[in-house]
C-alpha cells in the first residue's frame, strides 16, 4: 500500500480519490451510440445510470446533444469529492495562516509574495491600480487613433487606393 504523507494526514494513492457516483439521466440521451447505451445500467424509473468515471463520462459529454443532460453531468462531475476536499482546504487555509503568523507575516499572501518580486500585498494592489489607469489611457488613445484611421480610410477608399496599416495598430485596439 503506497501512501503520501502531508503533516499528520495520510492519503492512500492506490485507492480511487472518490467513490463511484452515478447520475441518472433521461431515457434517451440523444447522440449516443447504441453500444454505449447497452453498457449503461437502468434505474427503476427507466432512466440510465451514468458513472462519473472517465469511460462513461467523456463519451456522453462529447456526443450527447441534450443540454439538460450535459449540464447535469458537468455539475456532478465538477462537484466530485466536494465534501472531502472542503474539509482539507479549510484545514490547509488555517495551517497556512498559522505558518505565516509564526514567520512574522500578516497573511499567507504576504509570505508568498515576499519570495516574489512584489514583496507584499500593498505593492500588488498598487501595481494593479497602475495597470487599470494605464488601460484607461490606452483605451482613450486607441479610440482617437481609430477615429483618425476611419477618416483616412474613408478618404482613401473614395479614390480606390487602400493604404496599408501595420497590424500593430489593430493590436493596440485589443488592449
Amino acid at each position: 500500500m503506497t501512501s503520501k504523507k502531508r503533516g499528520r494526514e495520510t492519503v492512500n494513492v492506490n485507492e480511487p480519490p472518490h467513490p463511484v457516483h452515478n447520475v441518472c439521466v433521461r431515457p434517451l440521451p440523444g447522440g449516443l451510440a447504441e453500444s454505449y447505451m447497452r453498457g449503461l445500467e437502468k434505474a427503476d424509473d427507466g432512466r440510465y445510470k451514468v458513472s462519473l468515471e472517465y469511460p462513461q463520462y467523456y463519451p456522453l459529454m462529447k456526443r450527447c446533444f441534450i443540454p439538460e443532460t450535459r449540464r447535469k453531468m458537468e455539475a456532478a462531475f465538477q462537484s466530485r469529492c466536494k465534501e472531502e476536499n472542503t474539509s482539507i482546504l479549510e484545514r490547509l487555509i488555517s495551517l497556512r495562516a498559522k505558518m505565516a503568523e509564526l514567520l512574522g507575516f500578516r497573511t499567507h499572501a504576504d509570505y508568498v509574495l515576499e519570495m516574489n518580486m512584489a514583496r507584499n500585498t500593498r505593492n500588488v494592489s498598487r501595481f494593479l491600480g497602475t495597470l487599470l489607469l494605464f488601460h484607461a489611457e490606452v483605451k482613450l488613445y486607441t479610440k482617437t487613433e481609430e477615429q483618425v484611421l476611419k477618416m483616412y480610410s474613408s478618404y482613401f477608399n473614395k479614390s480606390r487606393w487602400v493604404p496599408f496599416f501595420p497590424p500593430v495598430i489593430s493590436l493596440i485596439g485589443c488592449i
Side-chain angles (χ1 to χ4, degrees):
M1 175 156 87
T2 307
S3 65
K4 292 186 178 184
K5 195 164 190 147
R6 297 274 186 241
R8 292 184 180 148
E9 296 186 27
T10 304
V11 177
N12 186 355
V13 295
N14 289 330
E15 291 179 15
H18 55 83
V20 175
H21 295 288
N22 289 322
V23 177
C24 291
V25 294
R26 60 194 279 180
L28 297 172
L32 299 171
E34 283 188 39
S35 59
Y36 175 83
M37 298 301 291
R38 281 193 303 269
L40 298 177
E41 185 182 336
K42 270 196 168 182
D44 295 336
D45 59 1
R47 296 184 300 169
Y48 290 98
K49 289 182 180 179
V50 181
S51 166
L52 296 177
E53 299 295 318
Y54 294 109
Q56 287 188 2
Y57 172 77
Y58 278 110
L60 184 134
M61 292 303 289
K62 187 175 182 179
R63 294 189 179 93
C64 181
F65 56 77
I66 299 171
E68 168 85 23
T69 302
R70 293 169 55 86
R71 228 184 331 270
K72 189 174 184 179
M73 287 298 294
E74 183 66 18
F77 188 79
Q78 294 302 329
S79 62
R80 292 170 301 159
C81 302
K82 183 170 53 175
E83 292 79 20
E84 298 91 351
N85 287 340
T86 301
S87 63
I88 292 170
L89 287 173
E90 286 171 348
R91 177 137 170 81
L92 179 66
I93 289 169
S94 68
L95 288 173
R96 283 180 170 183
K98 282 181 186 175
M99 182 182 70
E101 185 181 330
L102 288 172
L103 292 173
F105 295 96
R106 197 170 50 88
T107 64
H108 177 70
D110 284 329
Y111 166 70
V112 170
L113 288 170
E114 179 68 29
M115 305 303 157
N116 298 330
M117 289 173 45
R119 296 302 227 204
N120 57 46
T121 52
R122 190 177 69 242
N123 288 347
V124 172
S125 296
R126 192 178 317 130
F127 174 71
L128 291 174
T130 305
L131 277 181
L132 282 174
L133 289 173
F134 178 72
H135 175 71
E137 289 177 23
V138 167
K139 203 168 185 178
L140 182 65
Y141 173 76
T142 303
K143 281 254 191 251
T144 307
E145 188 176 273
E146 183 181 355
Q147 290 170 350
V148 169
L149 288 176
K150 282 182 180 177
M151 183 183 70
Y152 280 128
S153 179
S154 66
Y155 172 76
F156 288 117
N157 280 339
K158 288 179 186 172
S159 65
R160 294 186 169 269
W161 181 77
V162 180
F164 170 74
F165 294 111
V168 175
I169 293 174
S170 63
L171 288 177
I172 292 174
C174 297
I175 295 177

